[in-house]
Amino acid sequence: MGFDVTNGFLLNGRHYELTARATTRTTPASAWDPDALLEFRVKKLKEFGCNAYRMSHNPPTPELLDACDRLGMLVMTKAG
């Protein structure tokens, strides 16, 4: 995985076009979203044509990462 000035994002050595939406947890309670809701959100993003889930401000929960892994969604995070 990496970035190349000519080919952009590379996954397993091949160009991979990222289509993502930014998401924000607006309250601490968002960390306690039921697993089914997290999976529902990831499925909806896939239906909208996304192949990546972009986190902002807060790190993803392990449950969200599990849902993304199960459903084949890449995760981009800037938090810890």
Side-chain angles (χ1 to χ4, degrees):
M1 184 170 64
F3 286 92
D4 177 278
V5 70
T6 304
N7 298 311
F9 179 71
L10 301 172
L11 182 64
N12 297 327
R14 295 174 40 194
H15 171 74
Y16 191 82
E17 188 75 29
L18 294 174
T19 305
R21 298 292 177 266
T23 60
T24 303
R25 290 189 346 225
T26 55
T27 67
S30 297
W32 303 312
D33 286 344
D35 294 352
L37 178 58
L38 297 172
E39 190 149 332
F40 172 82
R41 288 179 183 155
V42 175
K43 284 180 179 177
K44 280 297 173 190
L45 287 172
K46 286 190 72 86
E47 286 178 21
F48 297 152
C50 294
N51 61 8
Y53 196 104
R54 182 175 167 257
M55 301 297 300
S56 47
H57 308 300
N58 297 300
T61 62
E63 295 80 11
L64 176 59
L65 292 175
D66 288 343
C68 288
D69 191 37
R70 262 192 320 278
L71 297 168
M73 179 79 72
L74 292 174
V75 176
M76 297 180 289
T77 182
K78 65 178 184 179

Coordinates of all heavy atoms in Angstrom, one line a residue:
M1 N 0.8 -1.2 0.0 CA 0.0 0.0 0.0 C 0.9 1.2 0.0 O 1.9 1.3 0.7 CB -0.9 0.0 1.2 CG -1.9 1.1 1.3 SD -3.1 1.0 2.6 CE -2.1 1.1 4.0
G2 N 0.5 2.2 -0.8 CA 1.3 3.5 -0.8 C 0.7 4.4 -1.8 O -0.4 4.2 -2.4
F3 N 1.4 5.5 -2.0 CA 1.0 6.5 -3.0 C 2.1 6.7 -3.9 O 3.3 6.7 -3.6 CB 0.7 7.9 -2.3 CG -0.6 7.9 -1.6 CD1 -0.7 7.5 -0.2 CD2 -1.8 8.2 -2.2 CE1 -1.9 7.5 0.5 CE2 -3.0 8.2 -1.5 CZ -3.0 7.8 -0.2
D4 N 1.8 7.0 -5.2 CA 2.8 7.2 -6.3 C 2.3 8.4 -7.0 O 1.1 8.6 -7.3 CB 2.7 5.9 -7.2 CG 3.7 6.1 -8.4 OD1 3.2 6.7 -9.3 OD2 4.8 5.5 -8.3
V5 N 3.3 9.3 -7.4 CA 2.9 10.5 -8.0 C 2.3 10.3 -9.4 O 1.4 11.1 -9.8 CB 4.2 11.4 -8.2 CG1 5.2 10.8 -9.2 CG2 3.8 12.8 -8.5
T6 N 2.6 9.2 -10.0 CA 2.0 8.9 -11.3 C 0.7 8.1 -11.2 O -0.3 8.4 -11.9 CB 2.9 8.1 -12.2 OG1 4.2 8.8 -12.3 CG2 2.4 7.8 -13.6
N7 N 0.6 7.1 -10.3 CA -0.5 6.2 -10.2 C -1.5 6.5 -9.1 O -2.5 5.9 -9.0 CB 0.0 4.8 -10.2 CG 0.7 4.4 -11.4 OD1 0.3 4.6 -12.5 ND2 1.9 3.9 -11.2
G8 N -1.1 7.4 -8.2 CA -2.0 7.7 -7.1 C -1.9 6.6 -6.0 O -0.8 6.1 -5.7
F9 N -3.0 6.2 -5.4 CA -3.1 5.2 -4.4 C -2.8 3.8 -5.0 O -3.4 3.5 -6.0 CB -4.4 5.2 -3.7 CG -4.6 4.2 -2.6 CD1 -3.8 4.4 -1.4 CD2 -5.4 3.1 -2.7 CE1 -4.0 3.5 -0.3 CE2 -5.5 2.2 -1.7 CZ -4.8 2.4 -0.5
L10 N -1.9 3.1 -4.3 CA -1.6 1.7 -4.7 C -2.0 0.8 -3.6 O -1.7 1.0 -2.5 CB -0.1 1.6 -5.0 CG 0.4 2.5 -6.1 CD1 2.0 2.4 -6.2 CD2 -0.2 2.2 -7.4
L11 N -2.6 -0.3 -4.0 CA -3.0 -1.4 -3.1 C -2.5 -2.7 -3.7 O -2.8 -3.0 -4.9 CB -4.5 -1.5 -2.9 CG -5.0 -2.5 -1.9 CD1 -4.5 -2.3 -0.5 CD2 -6.5 -2.6 -1.9
N12 N -1.6 -3.4 -3.0 CA -1.0 -4.6 -3.5 C -0.3 -4.3 -4.9 O -0.3 -5.1 -5.8 CB -2.0 -5.7 -3.7 CG -2.6 -6.1 -2.4 OD1 -1.9 -6.1 -1.4 ND2 -3.8 -6.6 -2.4
G13 N 0.4 -3.1 -4.9 CA 1.1 -2.7 -6.1 C 0.3 -2.3 -7.3 O 0.9 -2.0 -8.4
R14 N -1.0 -2.2 -7.2 CA -1.8 -1.8 -8.3 C -2.7 -0.6 -8.0 O -3.1 -0.4 -6.8 CB -2.8 -2.9 -8.7 CG -2.0 -4.2 -9.2 CD -2.8 -5.4 -9.5 NE -4.1 -5.1 -10.1 CZ -5.1 -6.0 -10.2 NH1 -4.9 -7.2 -9.7 NH2 -6.2 -5.7 -10.7
H15 N -2.9 0.3 -9.0 CA -3.7 1.5 -8.8 C -5.1 1.1 -8.2 O -5.7 0.1 -8.7 CB -3.9 2.3 -10.1 CG -4.9 3.4 -10.0 ND1 -4.6 4.5 -9.3 CD2 -6.1 3.5 -10.5 CE1 -5.7 5.3 -9.4 NE2 -6.6 4.7 -10.1
Y16 N -5.6 1.8 -7.3 CA -6.9 1.5 -6.7 C -7.6 2.9 -6.5 O -7.1 3.7 -5.7 CB -6.7 0.8 -5.3 CG -8.0 0.2 -4.8 CD1 -8.5 -1.0 -5.2 CD2 -8.7 0.9 -3.8 CE1 -9.7 -1.5 -4.7 CE2 -9.9 0.4 -3.2 CZ -10.4 -0.8 -3.7 OH -11.5 -1.3 -3.2
E17 N -8.7 3.1 -7.1 CA -9.5 4.3 -7.0 C -10.3 4.3 -5.7 O -11.1 3.4 -5.5 CB -10.4 4.4 -8.2 CG -11.1 5.8 -8.3 CD -10.2 6.9 -8.8 OE1 -9.2 6.6 -9.6 OE2 -10.4 8.0 -8.4
L18 N -10.0 5.3 -4.9 CA -10.8 5.4 -3.6 C -12.0 6.3 -3.8 O -11.9 7.3 -4.4 CB -9.9 6.0 -2.5 CG -8.7 5.2 -2.1 CD1 -7.8 6.0 -1.1 CD2 -9.1 3.9 -1.5
T19 N -13.1 5.8 -3.3 CA -14.4 6.5 -3.3 C -14.8 6.4 -1.8 O -15.2 5.4 -1.3 CB -15.4 5.9 -4.2 OG1 -14.9 5.8 -5.5 CG2 -16.7 6.7 -4.2
A20 N -14.8 7.6 -1.1 CA -15.0 7.6 0.3 C -15.9 8.7 0.7 O -16.1 9.7 -0.1 CB -13.7 7.7 1.1
R21 N -16.5 8.6 1.8 CA -17.3 9.7 2.5 C -16.7 9.9 3.8 O -16.4 9.0 4.5 CB -18.8 9.3 2.6 CG -19.5 9.1 1.3 CD -19.6 10.4 0.5 NE -20.2 10.2 -0.8 CZ -19.5 9.9 -2.0 NH1 -18.2 9.8 -1.9 NH2 -20.1 9.8 -3.1
A22 N -16.7 11.2 4.2 CA -16.2 11.5 5.6 C -17.3 11.3 6.6 O -18.5 11.5 6.3 CB -15.8 13.0 5.6
T23 N -17.0 10.8 7.7 CA -17.9 10.5 8.8 C -17.4 11.2 10.1 O -16.2 11.3 10.3 CB -18.1 9.0 9.0 OG1 -16.9 8.4 9.4 CG2 -18.7 8.3 7.8
T24 N -18.3 11.6 10.9 CA -17.9 12.2 12.2 C -18.8 11.7 13.3 O -20.1 11.6 13.1 CB -18.1 13.7 12.1 OG1 -17.3 14.2 11.0 CG2 -17.7 14.4 13.4
R25 N -18.2 11.3 14.4 CA -19.0 11.0 15.6 C -19.1 12.3 16.3 O -18.2 12.9 16.7 CB -18.3 9.9 16.4 CG -18.2 8.6 15.8 CD -17.7 7.5 16.7 NE -17.0 8.0 17.9 CZ -15.9 7.5 18.4 NH1 -15.3 6.5 17.7 NH2 -15.4 7.9 19.5
T26 N -20.4 12.7 16.5 CA -20.6 14.1 17.0 C -20.7 14.0 18.5 O -20.6 15.1 19.2 CB -21.9 14.7 16.4 OG1 -22.9 13.8 16.6 CG2 -21.7 14.9 15.0
T27 N -21.0 12.9 19.1 CA -21.1 12.8 20.6 C -20.3 11.6 21.1 O -20.1 10.6 20.4 CB -22.5 12.7 21.0 OG1 -23.0 11.4 20.6 CG2 -23.4 13.8 20.5
P28 N -19.9 11.7 22.4 CA -19.2 10.5 22.9 C -20.1 9.2 22.9 O -19.7 8.1 22.7 CB -18.9 10.9 24.4 CG -18.9 12.3 24.3 CD -19.9 12.8 23.3
A29 N -21.4 9.4 22.9 CA -22.4 8.3 22.9 C -22.3 7.6 21.5 O -22.7 6.4 21.5 CB -23.8 8.8 23.1
S30 N -21.8 8.2 20.5 CA -21.6 7.5 19.2 C -20.7 6.3 19.3 O -20.8 5.4 18.5 CB -21.1 8.5 18.1 OG -22.0 9.6 17.9
A31 N -19.8 6.3 20.2 CA -18.9 5.2 20.4 C -19.7 3.9 20.9 O -19.2 2.8 20.8 CB -17.8 5.5 21.4
W32 N -20.9 4.1 21.3 CA -21.7 3.0 21.8 C -22.8 2.6 20.8 O -23.8 2.0 21.2 CB -22.3 3.3 23.2 CG -21.3 3.7 24.2 CD1 -20.2 3.0 24.5 CD2 -21.3 4.8 25.0 NE1 -19.4 3.6 25.4 CE2 -20.1 4.8 25.8 CE3 -22.2 5.9 25.2 CZ2 -19.8 5.7 26.8 CZ3 -21.8 6.9 26.2 CH2 -20.6 6.8 26.9
D33 N -22.7 3.0 19.6 CA -23.7 2.6 18.6 C -23.8 1.1 18.5 O -22.7 0.4 18.5 CB -23.3 3.2 17.2 CG -23.6 4.6 17.1 OD1 -24.3 5.2 17.9 OD2 -23.0 5.2 16.1
P34 N -25.0 0.5 18.4 CA -25.1 -0.9 18.3 C -24.4 -1.4 17.0 O -24.3 -0.8 16.0 CB -26.6 -1.1 18.1 CG -27.2 0.1 18.6 CD -26.2 1.2 18.4
D35 N -23.8 -2.7 17.1 CA -23.1 -3.3 16.0 C -23.9 -3.3 14.7 O -23.4 -3.1 13.7 CB -22.7 -4.7 16.4 CG -21.6 -4.7 17.5 OD1 -21.2 -3.6 17.9 OD2 -21.3 -5.8 18.0
A36 N -25.2 -3.6 14.9 CA -26.1 -3.6 13.7 C -26.2 -2.3 13.0 O -26.3 -2.2 11.8 CB -27.5 -4.1 14.1
L37 N -26.2 -1.2 13.8 CA -26.2 0.1 13.2 C -24.9 0.4 12.4 O -24.9 1.0 11.3 CB -26.5 1.2 14.2 CG -26.5 2.6 13.7 CD1 -27.6 2.8 12.7 CD2 -26.7 3.6 14.9
L38 N -23.8 0.0 13.0 CA -22.5 0.2 12.3 C -22.5 -0.5 11.0 O -22.0 0.0 10.0 CB -21.4 -0.2 13.2 CG -21.2 0.5 14.5 CD1 -20.2 -0.2 15.4 CD2 -20.8 2.0 14.3
E39 N -22.9 -1.8 11.0 CA -22.9 -2.6 9.8 C -23.9 -2.0 8.8 O -23.6 -2.0 7.6 CB -23.3 -4.0 10.1 CG -23.1 -4.9 9.0 CD -22.8 -6.3 9.4 OE1 -22.2 -6.6 10.4 OE2 -23.1 -7.2 8.6
F40 N -25.0 -1.5 9.2 CA -26.0 -0.9 8.3 C -25.4 0.3 7.6 O -25.5 0.5 6.4 CB -27.2 -0.4 9.1 CG -28.2 0.4 8.4 CD1 -29.1 -0.2 7.5 CD2 -28.2 1.8 8.4 CE1 -30.0 0.6 6.8 CE2 -29.1 2.6 7.7 CZ -30.0 2.0 6.9
R41 N -24.6 1.2 8.4 CA -24.0 2.3 7.8 C -23.0 1.9 6.7 O -22.9 2.5 5.6 CB -23.3 3.2 8.9 CG -24.2 3.9 9.7 CD -23.5 4.7 10.8 NE -24.4 5.4 11.7 CZ -24.1 5.7 12.9 NH1 -22.9 5.4 13.4 NH2 -25.0 6.3 13.7
V42 N -22.2 0.9 7.0 CA -21.2 0.5 6.1 C -21.8 -0.1 4.8 O -21.4 0.2 3.7 CB -20.2 -0.5 6.7 CG1 -19.2 -1.1 5.7 CG2 -19.4 0.1 7.9
K43 N -22.9 -0.9 5.0 CA -23.6 -1.4 3.8 C -24.2 -0.3 3.0 O -24.2 -0.4 1.7 CB -24.7 -2.4 4.3 CG -24.2 -3.7 4.8 CD -25.4 -4.6 5.2 CE -24.9 -5.9 5.7 NZ -26.0 -6.8 6.2
K44 N -24.7 0.7 3.6 CA -25.3 1.8 2.9 C -24.3 2.6 2.1 O -24.5 2.9 0.9 CB -26.0 2.8 3.8 CG -27.4 2.4 4.2 CD -28.3 2.3 3.0 CE -29.6 1.7 3.3 NZ -30.4 1.3 2.1
L45 N -23.1 2.8 2.7 CA -22.0 3.4 1.9 C -21.6 2.6 0.7 O -21.3 3.2 -0.4 CB -20.8 3.7 2.9 CG -21.0 4.8 3.9 CD1 -19.8 4.8 4.9 CD2 -21.1 6.1 3.2
K46 N -21.6 1.3 0.9 CA -21.2 0.4 -0.3 C -22.3 0.5 -1.4 O -22.0 0.6 -2.5 CB -21.0 -1.0 0.2 CG -19.7 -1.2 0.9 CD -19.4 -2.6 1.2 CE -19.0 -3.4 0.0 NZ -17.5 -3.3 -0.4
E47 N -23.6 0.6 -0.9 CA -24.6 0.8 -1.9 C -24.5 2.1 -2.7 O -24.9 2.2 -3.8 CB -26.0 0.8 -1.2 CG -26.4 -0.6 -0.8 CD -27.8 -0.6 0.0 OE1 -28.6 0.4 -0.2 OE2 -28.0 -1.5 0.7
F48 N -24.0 3.1 -2.0 CA -23.8 4.4 -2.6 C -22.5 4.5 -3.5 O -22.2 5.5 -4.1 CB -23.7 5.5 -1.6 CG -24.9 5.7 -0.8 CD1 -24.8 6.2 0.5 CD2 -26.1 5.4 -1.2 CE1 -25.9 6.4 1.3 CE2 -27.3 5.6 -0.4 CZ -27.1 6.1 0.8
G49 N -21.8 3.3 -3.6 CA -20.6 3.3 -4.4 C -19.3 3.5 -3.7 O -18.3 3.6 -4.4
C50 N -19.3 3.6 -2.4 CA -18.1 3.8 -1.7 C -17.3 2.5 -1.5 O -17.9 1.5 -1.3 CB -18.4 4.4 -0.3 SG -19.1 6.1 -0.4
N51 N -16.0 2.6 -1.5 CA -15.1 1.5 -1.2 C -14.2 1.8 0.0 O -13.3 1.0 0.3 CB -14.4 1.0 -2.4 CG -13.4 2.1 -2.9 OD1 -13.2 3.1 -2.3 ND2 -12.8 1.8 -4.1
A52 N -14.4 3.0 0.6 CA -13.5 3.4 1.7 C -14.4 4.3 2.7 O -15.2 5.0 2.3 CB -12.3 4.2 1.3
Y53 N -14.0 4.1 4.0 CA -14.7 4.8 5.1 C -13.7 5.7 5.7 O -12.7 5.3 6.2 CB -15.2 3.7 6.1 CG -16.2 4.2 7.1 CD1 -17.5 3.8 7.0 CD2 -15.9 5.0 8.2 CE1 -18.5 4.1 7.9 CE2 -16.8 5.3 9.1 CZ -18.1 4.9 9.0 OH -19.1 5.3 9.9
R54 N -14.0 7.0 5.6 CA -13.0 8.0 6.1 C -13.4 8.6 7.4 O -14.5 9.2 7.5 CB -12.9 9.2 5.1 CG -11.9 10.2 5.5 CD -11.7 11.2 4.4 NE -10.9 12.4 4.9 CZ -11.5 13.5 5.3 NH1 -12.8 13.7 5.2 NH2 -10.8 14.5 5.8
M55 N -12.6 8.3 8.4 CA -12.9 8.8 9.8 C -12.4 10.2 9.9 O -11.4 10.5 9.3 CB -12.3 7.9 10.8 CG -12.7 6.4 10.8 SD -14.4 6.1 11.1 CE -14.6 6.8 12.8
S56 N -13.1 10.9 10.8 CA -12.5 12.3 11.1 C -12.7 12.5 12.6 O -13.8 12.1 13.2 CB -13.2 13.4 10.3 OG -14.5 13.2 10.2
H57 N -11.8 13.1 13.2 CA -11.8 13.6 14.6 C -11.6 12.5 15.7 O -10.9 12.7 16.6 CB -13.1 14.4 14.9 CG -13.3 15.5 14.0 ND1 -12.4 16.5 13.8 CD2 -14.4 15.7 13.2 CE1 -12.9 17.3 12.9 NE2 -14.1 16.9 12.5
N58 N -12.2 11.4 15.5 CA -12.1 10.3 16.5 C -11.7 9.0 15.9 O -12.1 8.7 14.8 CB -13.5 10.1 17.2 CG -13.9 11.4 18.0 OD1 -13.3 11.8 18.9 ND2 -15.1 11.9 17.6
P59 N -11.0 8.2 16.7 CA -10.6 6.9 16.1 C -11.8 6.0 16.0 O -12.8 6.1 16.7 CB -9.6 6.3 17.1 CG -9.9 7.1 18.4 CD -10.4 8.4 18.0
P60 N -11.8 5.0 15.0 CA -12.9 4.1 14.9 C -13.0 3.1 16.1 O -11.9 2.8 16.6 CB -12.6 3.4 13.6 CG -11.1 3.5 13.4 CD -10.7 4.8 14.1
T61 N -14.1 2.6 16.3 CA -14.3 1.6 17.4 C -13.9 0.2 16.8 O -13.9 0.0 15.5 CB -15.7 1.5 17.9 OG1 -16.6 1.1 16.8 CG2 -16.2 2.8 18.5
P62 N -13.5 -0.7 17.6 CA -13.1 -2.0 17.1 C -14.3 -2.7 16.3 O -14.1 -3.4 15.3 CB -12.8 -2.8 18.3 CG -12.4 -1.8 19.3 CD -13.2 -0.6 19.0
E63 N -15.5 -2.4 16.8 CA -16.7 -3.0 16.1 C -16.9 -2.4 14.7 O -17.3 -3.1 13.8 CB -18.0 -2.7 17.0 CG -18.0 -3.4 18.3 CD -17.1 -2.7 19.4 OE1 -16.7 -1.6 19.2 OE2 -16.9 -3.4 20.4
L64 N -16.6 -1.1 14.6 CA -16.7 -0.5 13.2 C -15.7 -1.1 12.3 O -15.9 -1.4 11.2 CB -16.6 1.0 13.3 CG -16.6 1.7 11.9 CD1 -17.8 1.4 11.1 CD2 -16.3 3.2 12.1
L65 N -14.4 -1.3 12.8 CA -13.4 -1.9 12.0 C -13.7 -3.3 11.6 O -13.5 -3.7 10.5 CB -12.1 -1.8 12.8 CG -11.5 -0.5 13.0 CD1 -10.2 -0.5 13.9 CD2 -11.2 0.2 11.7
D66 N -14.4 -4.1 12.5 CA -14.8 -5.4 12.2 C -15.8 -5.4 11.1 O -15.8 -6.2 10.2 CB -15.3 -6.1 13.5 CG -14.3 -6.5 14.5 OD1 -13.1 -6.5 14.1 OD2 -14.7 -6.7 15.7
A67 N -16.8 -4.5 11.2 CA -17.8 -4.4 10.2 C -17.2 -4.1 8.8 O -17.6 -4.7 7.8 CB -18.9 -3.4 10.5
C68 N -16.3 -3.1 8.8 CA -15.6 -2.8 7.5 C -14.8 -3.9 7.0 O -14.8 -4.2 5.8 CB -14.7 -1.6 7.8 SG -15.6 0.0 8.0
D69 N -14.2 -4.7 7.8 CA -13.4 -5.8 7.4 C -14.3 -6.9 6.8 O -14.0 -7.4 5.8 CB -12.6 -6.4 8.6 CG -11.6 -7.4 8.2 OD1 -10.9 -7.2 7.1 OD2 -11.4 -8.4 8.9
R70 N -15.4 -7.2 7.5 CA -16.4 -8.2 7.0 C -16.9 -7.8 5.6 O -17.2 -8.7 4.8 CB -17.5 -8.3 8.0 CG -17.4 -9.4 8.9 CD -18.7 -9.7 9.7 NE -19.5 -8.5 10.1 CZ -19.2 -7.8 11.3 NH1 -18.2 -8.2 12.0 NH2 -19.9 -6.8 11.6
L71 N -17.2 -6.5 5.4 CA -17.8 -6.1 4.2 C -16.9 -5.6 3.1 O -17.3 -5.1 2.1 CB -18.9 -5.0 4.6 CG -20.0 -5.4 5.5 CD1 -20.7 -4.3 6.1 CD2 -20.9 -6.4 4.8
G72 N -15.6 -5.7 3.4 CA -14.6 -5.3 2.3 C -14.5 -3.8 2.1 O -14.3 -3.3 1.0
M73 N -14.6 -3.0 3.2 CA -14.5 -1.6 3.1 C -13.1 -1.1 3.7 O -12.8 -1.5 4.8 CB -15.6 -0.9 3.9 CG -15.6 0.6 4.0 SD -16.3 1.4 2.5 CE -18.0 1.0 2.6
L74 N -12.3 -0.4 2.9 CA -11.1 0.2 3.4 C -11.4 1.3 4.4 O -12.5 1.9 4.4 CB -10.3 0.8 2.3 CG -9.7 -0.1 1.3 CD1 -9.1 0.7 0.1 CD2 -8.7 -1.0 1.9
V75 N -10.5 1.5 5.4 CA -10.7 2.5 6.4 C -9.6 3.5 6.4 O -8.4 3.1 6.4 CB -10.9 1.9 7.8 CG1 -11.0 3.0 8.9 CG2 -12.1 1.0 7.9
M76 N -9.9 4.8 6.3 CA -8.9 5.8 6.4 C -9.2 6.6 7.7 O -10.3 7.1 7.9 CB -9.0 6.8 5.2 CG -8.7 6.1 3.9 SD -8.8 7.2 2.5 CE -10.6 7.5 2.4
T77 N -8.2 6.7 8.6 CA -8.3 7.4 9.8 C -7.2 8.4 10.0 O -6.1 8.1 9.7 CB -8.5 6.5 11.0 OG1 -8.7 7.2 12.2 CG2 -7.3 5.6 11.2
K78 N -7.5 9.5 10.6 CA -6.4 10.5 11.0 C -6.2 10.5 12.5 O -5.3 11.2 12.9 CB -6.7 11.9 10.4 CG -7.9 12.5 11.0 CD -8.1 13.9 10.4 CE -9.2 14.7 11.1 NZ -9.4 16.0 10.6
A79 N -7.0 9.8 13.2 CA -6.9 9.8 14.7 C -6.3 8.5 15.1 O -6.6 7.5 14.5 CB -8.3 10.1 15.3
G80 N -5.6 8.5 16.2 CA -5.0 7.5 16.8 C -4.9 6.2 17.0 O -4.4 5.3 17.2

